Amino acid sequence: MKGLRLYLPPFAPDTSGAAAVLYPLGGMVVIIDAGGCAGNICGFDEPRWQQEGVRSAVFSAGLRDMDAIMGRDDKLIEKVRLACEEIAPRFIAFIGTPVPAVIGTDYRALVRMAEKTTGLPAIAVDSDGTKLYDAGGGKALLALCRTFMNTPVTGKAPKEQMPPMATGSAACPPQSPAGSIGLLGLTPLDFTSAEVRRLMDALHAVGWTDVCRYDRLTDFTQPRCRKNLVVSPLGLPAARYQAAHYGIPYEIGLPEPFLHDTAAKITLGCQDCQEERLLIVHQQVLANALRNTLRQSGQRGSITCATFFRQEAETCEPGDAALAEEDGFQEFVADGKFTVIIGDPALRRALPSFGGRFIALPHFAISGSLTDAPC
């Protein structure tokens, strides 16, 4: 049965991905729902709500039946105006859910009404709750770039500056200290707090002293990056937009030092590097980067990557799988005869007959767990 899950939890949807990108930017995030979707975001899909730290202004539109049926956008805008008087946000962001998708909400009209009423810039993300977090996060990043990066260069970038398609193995160090490297796709849905610290250390180790995480509105209004590093698939739409309109090249991957310890622990437990059949299940950029690091560390067995999320040709090899359903995942594992599986611990429950070695590589978007489980 399509969509039936006996073991795996529901993954973070596109509404949560959009909210994760917008969380630290100082705007007012309005979830256009009756309350349920906003509750899921804050209660389950946003780890920063579960930790001590900076809070974000996330509101539910509080739609009622007749509000949705009649499309009473004026009531929503009035709520936004009153809230702006209390919290003074830097911008307004509307995030869609199944309700506005069904009734055909005009997001452009909402944006114009909000800007006219509040005097603040506004964006909208037309997520519908039926896709996964990387789709919504990608739309949110792209909307931020289109709205706030307002000094485009004329024409296309010179050929030598156009984005190289990296294999996911390393971030090239700068040729001069001027400028910084931008990280597109860095959200808690893909990277734990410990992993973020390791990533910063790894970038410093390869020569980048200034790292832009796109977690401040000024990162969009005053872009300073010499290049962007796409660390998860949700960063690709914004990277391609910046390359085409602003001449900022990008690379897809992760710096090698970031994955050295993980690769060493995986290799240490392998009985025979020539005979092992490894499967890495994560978001495709991290999975591919880990595969390359394992090979450089001496792993000579077969290594396959699989993901339930967006898969890009630039980071794939023949045999990599785009997964959709739980039973498809089980069949892929059985057919591949893998001896080692690397992925979120929640995936282990879906493989009751797997007799090989399972290595934990947490992915919050899958399990919603904050555990920094070691490999």
Side-chain angles (χ1 to χ4, degrees):
M1 182 184 297
K2 183 177 180 180
L4 176 65
R5 294 190 179 187
L6 301 178
Y7 303 99
L8 296 180
F11 301 154
D14 52 358
T15 52
S16 299
V21 168
L22 297 166
Y23 183 99
L25 300 179
M28 177 194 295
V29 178
V30 181
I31 314 297
I32 307 178
D33 71 332
C37 293
N40 286 336
I41 289 170
C42 298
F44 301 99
D45 293 333
E46 179 48 72
R48 285 166 290 193
W49 282 111
Q50 304 173 37
Q51 300 169 324
E52 293 184 5
V54 178
R55 291 291 183 257
S56 182
V58 179
F59 291 83
S60 167
L63 295 176
R64 295 297 174 257
D65 290 349
M66 291 307 298
D67 294 336
I69 293 170
M70 303 303 294
R72 294 169 177 168
D73 294 340
D74 55 333
K75 287 191 173 183
L76 174 59
I77 297 302
E78 178 60 16
K79 292 179 182 179
V80 170
R81 184 190 68 80
L82 293 173
C84 286
E85 294 179 356
E86 296 290 333
I87 64 173
R90 303 186 68 183
F91 65 96
I92 312 297
F94 297 101
I95 297 180
T97 67
V99 172
V102 169
I103 67 175
T105 294
D106 188 339
Y107 289 104
R108 287 182 295 179
L110 269 182
V111 167
R112 289 195 297 269
M113 291 170 66
E115 290 179 336
K116 182 177 180 180
T117 301
T118 66
L120 296 171
I123 65 171
V125 181
D126 62 342
S127 51
D128 58 15
T130 66
K131 302 177 182 65
L132 295 175
Y133 77 100
D134 47 352
K139 288 182 177 180
L141 269 177
L142 184 57
L144 289 164
C145 292
R146 286 174 169 169
T147 302
F148 295 109
M149 296 181 70
N150 53 8
T151 54
V153 296
T154 56
K156 292 185 178 180
K159 186 175 181 181
E160 65 271 14
Q161 293 181 359
M162 291 305 288
M165 297 306 173
T167 60
S169 58
C172 298
Q175 302 301 313
S176 69
S180 67
I181 188 169
L183 300 182
L184 285 168
L186 185 69
T187 72
L189 294 174
D190 285 315
F191 297 90
T192 65
S193 56
E195 287 172 334
V196 171
R197 290 191 294 270
R198 294 209 319 267
L199 180 56
M200 296 301 107
D201 292 341
L203 288 169
H204 294 157
V206 297
W208 291 101
T209 57
D210 186 10
V211 180
C212 167
R213 294 167 55 175
Y214 289 99
D215 58 355
R216 298 173 298 179
L217 194 59
T218 52
D219 293 336
F220 297 92
T221 58
Q222 302 170 20
R224 65 186 191 279
C225 298
R226 290 186 59 232
K227 72 179 296 184
N228 284 316
L229 181 64
V230 179
V231 297
S232 75
L234 72 82
L236 269 173
R240 289 168 176 161
Y241 178 85
Q242 291 188 28
H245 294 274
Y246 300 89
I248 302 175
Y250 70 89
E251 182 179 350
I252 305 174
L254 289 159
E256 291 182 12
F258 170 67
L259 294 166
H260 276 169
D261 290 346
T262 302
K265 292 173 182 176
I266 294 171
T267 304
L268 183 64
C270 292
Q271 300 298 320
D272 190 330
C273 291
Q274 299 294 334
E275 299 297 329
E276 295 282 11
R277 296 180 59 86
L278 278 68
L279 173 64
I280 305 172
V281 187
H282 209 278
Q283 50 100 338
Q284 186 71 28
V285 175
L286 188 146
N288 188 56
L290 179 56
R291 169 167 54 194
N292 291 332
T293 304
L294 283 167
R295 286 172 176 166
Q296 293 174 10
S297 65
Q299 178 65 39
R300 294 294 176 265
S302 68
I303 307 177
T304 304
C305 295
T307 184
F308 286 92
F309 308 105
R310 180 172 178 168
Q311 192 178 62
E312 294 290 332
E314 298 95 323
T315 56
C316 289
E317 294 183 2
D320 287 356
L323 305 170
E325 308 293 346
E326 180 181 283
D327 56 356
F329 171 52
Q330 294 168 332
E331 292 172 5
F332 182 74
V333 170
D335 293 343
K337 296 181 172 57
F338 299 105
T339 59
V340 179
I341 297 179
I342 304 157
D344 191 277
L347 299 173
R348 182 68 181 90
R349 298 198 299 268
L351 304 170
S353 60
F354 176 66
R357 180 172 171 236
F358 193 96
I359 302 175
L361 184 63
H363 192 184
F364 188 87
I366 287 180
S367 64
S369 173
L370 290 171
T371 304
D372 288 330
C375 289

